[in-house]
Amino acid sequence: MTTTPHPTAPTPSFAVIPGNQVQRALTGRAREIVDLVEATYRLHGDGNSVNPPSYFLKFPDRPTSRIIALPASLGGGSPVDGMKWISSFPANVGAGIPRASAVLILNDHDTGYPFACLESSIISATRTAASATLAADRLSRGRPRPRRIGFFGTGLIARYIHTYLAETGWEFDHIGVHDLSPNSAAGFRLYLEQSGAGPVTVHHGAEDLIRTSDLVVFATVAGQPHVDDVSWFDHHPLVLHISLRDLAPEIVLSAANIVDDIEHCLKAATSPHLAEQRTGRRDFLTGTLDDVTAGRVTVPADRTVIFSPFGLGVLDLAVGRYVYDEVARAGELRRVDDFFHELRRHG
């Protein structure tokens, strides 16, 4: 009896892509990455992805810290599987190192073998900024384009969002800044002034920042709502609620709400999740950002509009695959040739 041998798969390879290579691959590509994020939302909306719930590792002895696993699978023309493993340790800031650190593992679609490990705090900030920039553009159509922006929270994510807005053509007559840390607010103001931004005001209270902004960006580490006065939003701004837990349910329920994924966003004590728990319903959600970009949902011009993105792992995969392809195209992959050792089934 003869048997037909199975085709031999190529020997799996593994590459490590450090942060400097990630940054080089993404610098100056804001418009391209925003388009990539929009295309990824479309794939996800069409069912060409698997994006299970994020998994939170929390610590009884370090209640403000956490590490999150975001597994995902993305289809389309360049299918890829993988996982982002990202930590948030706010106490790091006081020690002079960033709050968040992350790695991204990319797995081969056909064999499941991991083929790359990428530094991913830059990828995570990039996909977050691209998503926020896409939302700012699509959700401001049909209403006067915001000319006054306010940043509530002045860390890395705020910087990336401002950079992406600036690189995609946004201009502001005035920029407001507010942070519980005066040093952080001052540092962000210096960055804005050095980048050639317009007049910058550091607000010592949240109310002044919100009332004087047409576009409000929440990029904090808040674990529970701390903004609860609906009247602060009487001028109906566009709100990019990136940090997800800043707004009291009353504010969420008073607004038109756009999310990136309904099931994901209504978990983990986010502000929309708290609104659902309070009311027992979900009809305060207007739709997803993909609904808006595809024309299935129209955003009202006479209400506050809040974009609350949970942050989908498929976005990290899309941007991570983009970085991998750029580094490979440049011939700069740092391969670990003997990473996989036991490749013969019977020795």
Side-chain angles (χ1 to χ4, degrees), residues 54-203:
S54 302
Y55 298 92
F56 290 74
L57 175 61
K58 298 183 178 181
F59 313 97
D61 61 328
R62 293 158 286 167
T64 65
S65 301
R66 63 190 183 185
I67 308 178
I68 311 173
L70 289 83
S73 176
L74 183 63
S78 298
V80 64
D81 310 324
M83 184 179 75
K84 179 173 72 172
W85 180 242
I86 183 166
S87 67
S88 174
F89 280 54
N92 286 352
V93 176
I97 59 176
R99 170 188 61 85
S101 58
V103 293
L104 176 68
I105 300 296
L106 300 181
N107 293 75
D108 181 76
H109 175 269
D110 296 323
T111 68
Y113 269 80
F115 63 87
C117 175
L118 299 85
E119 195 288 328
S120 199
S121 65
I122 296 170
I123 290 172
S124 187
T126 295
R127 64 88 152 147
T128 301
S131 171
T133 299
L134 175 65
D137 175 56
R138 293 308 184 109
L139 300 181
S140 63
R141 297 183 182 185
R143 59 165 61 202
R145 192 170 174 91
R147 301 292 305 180
R148 304 174 300 168
I149 187 171
F151 288 92
F152 196 141
T154 57
L156 180 75
I157 297 300
R159 173 162 63 85
Y160 268 72
I161 290 174
H162 174 264
T163 297
Y164 261 61
L165 289 170
E167 290 186 2
T168 54
W170 284 76
E171 296 180 350
F172 299 100
D173 298 328
H174 189 268
I175 299 178
V177 170
H178 173 66
D179 198 289
L180 296 181
S181 166
N183 288 339
S184 183
F188 190 56
R189 177 179 186 171
L190 179 62
Y191 151 75
L192 290 170
E193 292 173 342
Q194 290 178 339
S195 68
V200 180
T201 299
V202 175
H203 294 272

Side-chain angles (χ1 to χ4, degrees), residues 18-88:
N20 63 333
Q21 288 186 312
V22 173
Q23 191 166 60
R24 282 203 306 270
L26 293 173
T27 297
R29 307 287 181 85
R31 290 187 182 275
E32 196 172 343
I33 300 302
V34 170
D35 289 343
L36 174 64
V37 164
E38 181 174 5
T40 304
Y41 276 137
R42 183 60 47 83
L43 285 171
H44 180 68
D46 290 343
N48 290 320
S49 68
V50 180
N51 205 108
S54 302
Y55 298 92
F56 290 74
L57 175 61
K58 298 183 178 181
F59 313 97
D61 61 328
R62 293 158 286 167
T64 65
S65 301
R66 63 190 183 185
I67 308 178
I68 311 173
L70 289 83
S73 176
L74 183 63
S78 298
V80 64
D81 310 324
M83 184 179 75
K84 179 173 72 172
W85 180 242
I86 183 166
S87 67
S88 174

Side-chain angles (χ1 to χ4, degrees), residues 123-307:
I123 290 172
S124 187
T126 295
R127 64 88 152 147
T128 301
S131 171
T133 299
L134 175 65
D137 175 56
R138 293 308 184 109
L139 300 181
S140 63
R141 297 183 182 185
R143 59 165 61 202
R145 192 170 174 91
R147 301 292 305 180
R148 304 174 300 168
I149 187 171
F151 288 92
F152 196 141
T154 57
L156 180 75
I157 297 300
R159 173 162 63 85
Y160 268 72
I161 290 174
H162 174 264
T163 297
Y164 261 61
L165 289 170
E167 290 186 2
T168 54
W170 284 76
E171 296 180 350
F172 299 100
D173 298 328
H174 189 268
I175 299 178
V177 170
H178 173 66
D179 198 289
L180 296 181
S181 166
N183 288 339
S184 183
F188 190 56
R189 177 179 186 171
L190 179 62
Y191 151 75
L192 290 170
E193 292 173 342
Q194 290 178 339
S195 68
V200 180
T201 299
V202 175
H203 294 272
H204 299 292
E207 180 178 1
D208 287 343
L209 177 85
I210 293 168
R211 288 189 182 275
T212 57
S213 301
D214 309 313
L215 175 60
V216 184
V217 180
F218 283 93
T220 74
V221 293
Q224 59 187 16
H226 55 95
V227 175
D228 57 10
D229 193 329
V230 176
S231 71
W232 294 0
F233 300 83
D234 283 345
H235 58 303
H236 302 315
L238 171 58
V239 179
L240 303 179
H241 188 206
I242 307 303
S243 36
L244 284 174
R245 296 173 179 83
D246 303 271
L247 304 177
E250 294 85 355
I251 295 172
V252 172
L253 295 171
S254 71
N257 290 277
I258 303 296
V259 297
D260 54 359
D261 181 283
I262 291 174
E263 295 301 324
H264 282 75
C265 202
L266 294 179
K267 286 184 172 73
T270 65
S271 295
H273 186 203
L274 297 179
E276 180 194 33
Q277 291 178 324
R278 175 170 297 187
T279 63
R281 54 186 175 83
R282 296 182 171 186
D283 59 2
F284 58 87
L285 294 180
T286 307
T288 67
L289 185 56
D290 182 54
D291 289 331
V292 175
T293 60
R296 293 186 294 266
V297 165
T298 301
V299 177
D302 58 350
R303 297 180 65 190
T304 299
V305 176
I306 301 174
F307 176 56

